[in-house]
Every structure is written in structure tokens, then in C-alpha cells.
Amino acid sequence: MTNQALFAIGIFLVTYAFIISEKLHRTIVAMCGGILMVLFGIVTQEQAIHHIDFNTLGLLIGMMILVAVTAQTGVFKYVAIRAAKLAKGKPVRILVYLSIITALASAFLDNVTTVLLIVPVTFSIARQLELNPIPFLISEIIASNAGGTATLIGDPPNIMIGSSVPELDFMAFLLNLSPVIAIIMALTILCLVFIYRKQLHTSPKLSAKIMQLNERDEITDTTLLKKSLTVMALTIIGFMLHGALHLESATIALTGAFLLLLITGEHYLEDAISKVEWNTIFFFIGLFVLVSGLVETGVIAKLASQAINLTGADPLKTSLLILWMSAIASAFVDNIPFVATMIPMIKEMGALGITNLEPLWWSLALGACLGGNGTLIGASANVIVAGLAAKEGHHISFVSFMKVAFPLMIMSIVVSHLYVYLRYFVW
């Protein structure tokens, strides 16, 4: 192994260690790691720019702008209160309904945005019912990561995979992943109801207070709502057709975002741009450059070769290895840098003899996205909800979360294991 390769591995591992430790903000760490790859001459600036996936960045920015404008209408609060009323103010039903809404919203927005919109309303409902909000919050974390797994735009790992493999378009993700996610969500909700059933009791008087809420009061701007929902619907249709239209998903998302800004007026522009999570965007840029060092020095090719030797280039064994390895790794480290490393590795496996890579990509998506449910640091949505809970005076500890979430994550991976085996290697 060359000195350049050893330098690349060293920078990568030190950067990864700092990301896991959370001693410094992960965006600063990732950018510093990427910059070191260029400063040490492991990659040139041109190579670094070439490895940045601008389709992923464009898709994220476009969706963030769309959601930022739509959120100003109050529609997300409307939906949550409407669900609580449909549940007749009964806590168990509210948990089920909010979990389903979170999963569906995460599939078509993204899981981080969804929890930022749903969690404040959850606190309000829990206060009305005089209940501990933590059962609802943990259910929403798990539902957001599971729901986000179902589509191309639901979870950053899927965005990265879809951007790297053009033939895996929006409909491919929906058709291949949503069936197993529907099964996993049904089983997960049943388990959550069983786990929390004794904590979810309130008085009929408090339930009646929920029924007195008027969800229509939450809608602040009906004209903006109509425009936002129309553009959002057109954007999702665009995602479904982007293969036939020969347009990248980033082009669709950015078209939707700036069409909405065009028809709503420039006074929404500054607020929408400020709501873009620029720290997340720069985190991705740093990661892409960081991983480019491993690609350019041949480290990724070596890892892919060893994985193929381990599985004998058998597609089934390789798929299942990726599924379980992704799930366990993503439970304890952020799934975004893990997927950034795995994508070039799977591509290299194709060059080394595995002809049908599709089951490998679906295994990576399922493992990385669902594995994020394993611990409190496994995915961005988990960390954000824990932070919001702490601000409200409710501490979600690492261990208390893991006791509930890790067994449910293992169950979801067992279901995914059976699904991958039956769908791609038996039927």
C-alpha cells in the first residue's frame, strides 16, 4: 500500500473518530478532513470537485426550500391536530396516527424536516393530555427513519444512492422498498403500542379538551397553502417521471423550489434560503472529498476485493453481508458518512465480477436507513428529536432509547433479510 493510501486512511479514520465523538461540530470536522485530502496532495482540487455529488446537494437544497415555504402555511400543525381529533383524544390511537403521519411525511419530504415539524405539535398534544411525550417522540423517531427508507427523497442515504446510480429512479425506490417498509411499519407500530400501552392513559375530561381544538386555526395563509401544495404535487410527479423526462432529481427539486418562490413573491426568498440546513450541505461536501481520497488511492477497490473474496462474489451472500454490516454500523455511527464510503465500494464490486448490483443497492438502503433506528446517534432525526426534548425538559437517555429501539431495529433487519432473499433470489 502506498504512502498516499496510508495518509488517506489516516485522515479518514481521524475524521470519522471526531464525527463519532461529537467533540466538534460534524460539519467542521468533515470539511477539515476533506481539505486535508487536498492539502496533502492525495487528491487535486479538480479531482475533489469532480467527486462532489452536486445532484445530491441540489436535491437536498430544493426540498428544503419547498418545505420551508410550505411550513409557513401551518398545514403540518393542521394535520397533526386533525389526527389527534380523529383518534378521539385517545393516547394509544394518537401514537399510532402520529407514527403513520410521520412515516408518510418522511417518505415525501425528508425525515429530519418531518420531525422538526411534527415534534412541536406532539409536545402540545402531550401537554393537553398531561402525558409524558417520550413514548410519542421515540415512536416518531423510529417512524421517520422507517418511512424515509421507502423513497428516493426520504432519507439522505437514499438520495446519495439514487444520485450515484441513475437507473435507480424515484419509482424504482418506491416499487422496491415501500412494500417491505409497509410490513416493517405495521409490525413496529404493534410493538410500540405493546411497549407503551401502560403509559398511554388519560382522563375522558382531558381527551375532550383535544376534541375542542380547532385545527383550521393553524392555517395561516390559504392562498400560499394552495400554491405550495400544487407545486409540491407537481414536484413529486416530476420525481416519478424524471427517468422518462431525462432530468436529474436535483433539477426537478430546484425547479419546484424556485417555481414556488416565483409564484409566491420574493419576500419568501430570504426566509426560505435561511431555512436551508447549510451545515448539512457542507457536511456532505466534506464527506464527498474525504471519500475521494480513498477512491483515488485505490483503498476502496482493495476493500471491495476483500469483501468479494469473503462472499465468493455470490450476489446473495454479498447483499446480506451489506445489509447487516450497514445496519449495525449505522446504529453506532452516522449513516451518511458510512453510505458515502460504501457507494464507491459497491461500484467496484461490479467491476470485479458481480453483474447484478441492484440487490446490493437495496440492501445498502435498507441497512443504512433502518439501522439508524438502533441508537440515539444512529441518524440525524434521532439527535434532533433528543435535542428538542431536552429543551422541553424531557431527557431521552442513550440507554433508554436503545432498550426500545435496538430490538425493533433488529426485527426490521430480519424482515429486510427475508425480503431481499425472497424477492431478488427466490421469486
Side-chain angles (χ1 to χ4, degrees):
M1 194 173 282
T2 65
N3 286 338
Q4 289 287 71
L6 291 172
F7 266 125
I9 293 169
I11 293 168
F12 180 83
L13 292 176
V14 170
T15 304
Y16 221 114
F18 272 104
I19 290 171
I20 295 166
S21 73
E22 298 181 318
K23 298 285 186 189
L24 293 167
H25 196 288
R26 64 181 191 168
T27 302
I28 298 170
V29 175
M31 284 298 295
C32 287
I35 290 164
L36 285 173
M37 288 289 186
V38 179
L39 289 177
F40 280 100
I42 294 162
V43 292
T44 65
Q45 183 175 304
E46 288 72 24
Q47 286 172 324
I49 291 169
H50 173 74
H51 281 274
I52 294 170
D53 189 340
F54 288 99
N55 187 54
T56 294
L57 302 181
L59 178 51
L60 283 168
I61 292 167
M63 292 308 293
M64 286 172 182
I65 291 171
L66 266 175
V67 171
V69 177
T70 307
Q72 293 188 42
T73 66
V75 66
F76 301 108
K77 292 178 182 178
Y78 171 93
V79 170
I81 292 169
R82 182 78 182 139
K85 289 178 72 175
L86 284 172
K88 307 291 185 190
K90 295 180 178 177
V92 171
R93 286 191 194 174
I94 291 172
L95 181 137
V96 172
Y97 289 3
L98 288 181
S99 297
I100 292 169
I101 288 166
T102 303
L104 289 171
S106 295
F108 292 100
L109 303 176
D110 72 76
N111 51 8
V112 170
T113 301
T114 299
V115 295
L116 284 169
L117 295 167
I118 295 288
V119 164
V121 194
T122 303
F123 284 128
S124 175
I125 292 168
R127 274 194 295 270
Q128 296 267 11
L129 295 172
E130 295 180 9
L131 287 171
N132 181 354
I134 286 179
F136 299 102
L137 300 180
I138 290 177
S139 301
E140 285 163 9
I141 289 171
I142 293 168
S144 73
N145 289 321
T149 313
T151 67
L152 168 68
I153 57 173
D155 210 355
N158 285 7
I159 294 171
M160 294 163 75
I161 293 166
S163 183
S164 300
V165 192
E167 59 268 27
L168 302 185
D169 60 11
F170 187 91
M171 289 308 295
F173 272 86
L174 196 65
L175 294 171
N176 283 277
L177 297 182
S178 60
V180 67
I181 293 304
I183 296 165
I184 288 167
M185 271 306 301
L187 292 172
T188 299
I189 288 172
L190 283 172
C191 292
L192 287 166
V193 167
F194 179 78
I195 292 165
Y196 290 122
R197 67 195 187 283
K198 291 179 181 176
Q199 298 178 42
L200 298 174
H201 288 291
T202 192
S203 68
K205 185 179 176 183
L206 292 172
S207 292
K209 280 176 71 178
I210 291 287
M211 300 306 292
Q212 290 166 13
L213 295 173
N214 186 358
E215 63 273 24
R216 290 181 184 176
D217 291 343
E218 301 298 335
I219 302 296
T220 55
D221 190 331
T222 52
T223 305
L224 180 61
L225 176 63
K226 288 172 187 174
K227 290 177 180 178
S228 298
L229 294 182
T230 301
V231 173
M232 190 76 81
L234 288 171
T235 304
I236 290 168
I237 292 166
F239 285 132
M240 292 177 177
L241 299 175
H242 81 90
L245 296 170
H246 305 293
L247 294 171
E248 292 287 354
S249 49
T251 305
I252 303 289
L254 289 167
T255 301
F258 285 94
L259 173 63
L260 184 56
L261 289 171
L262 181 67
I263 62 175
T264 54
E266 63 185 54
H267 52 283
Y268 288 102
L269 174 64
E270 214 167 291
D271 184 69
I273 296 294
S274 71
K275 292 282 172 60
V276 172
E277 294 166 43
W278 291 109
N279 57 341
T280 301
I281 301 301
F282 279 99
F283 178 57
F284 272 102
I285 291 170
L287 284 177
F288 288 136
V289 179
L290 189 67
V291 173
S292 75
L294 300 182
V295 174
E296 294 293 337
T297 55
V299 174
I300 294 290
K302 184 74 175 169
L303 288 171
S305 173
Q306 288 176 348
I308 282 184
N309 289 338
L310 187 66
T311 60
D314 179 85
L316 172 60
K317 288 179 183 175
T318 309
S319 296
L320 298 178
L321 172 68
I322 288 170
L323 175 69
W324 283 97
M325 183 172 70
S326 302
I328 301 302
S330 295
F332 295 97
V333 301
D334 195 302
N335 55 16
I336 296 169
F338 179 81
V339 170
T341 314
M342 286 297 295
I343 287 170
M345 187 168 146
I346 292 176
K347 286 183 174 179
E348 192 64 36
M349 288 176 178
L352 292 170
I354 297 180
T355 51
N356 181 17
L357 291 178
E358 208 170 299
L360 279 64
W361 292 120
W362 302 134
S363 296
L364 177 61
L366 288 166
C369 296
L370 294 172
N373 273 331
T375 69
L376 203 53
I377 59 168
S380 303
N382 311 18
V383 178
I384 285 167
V385 174
L388 292 171
K391 283 181 184 175
E392 291 282 331
H394 298 281
H395 177 61
I396 302 175
S397 74
F398 188 93
V399 174
S400 66
F401 180 85
M402 194 171 170
K403 279 180 184 175
V404 174
F406 197 83
L408 291 176
M409 184 274 285
I410 294 294
M411 177 199 72
S412 71
I413 299 302
V414 169
V415 173
S416 300
H417 179 121
L418 293 170
Y419 177 79
V420 168
Y421 171 67
L422 291 172
R423 175 154 183 178
Y424 302 107
F425 298 98
V426 175
W427 294 340

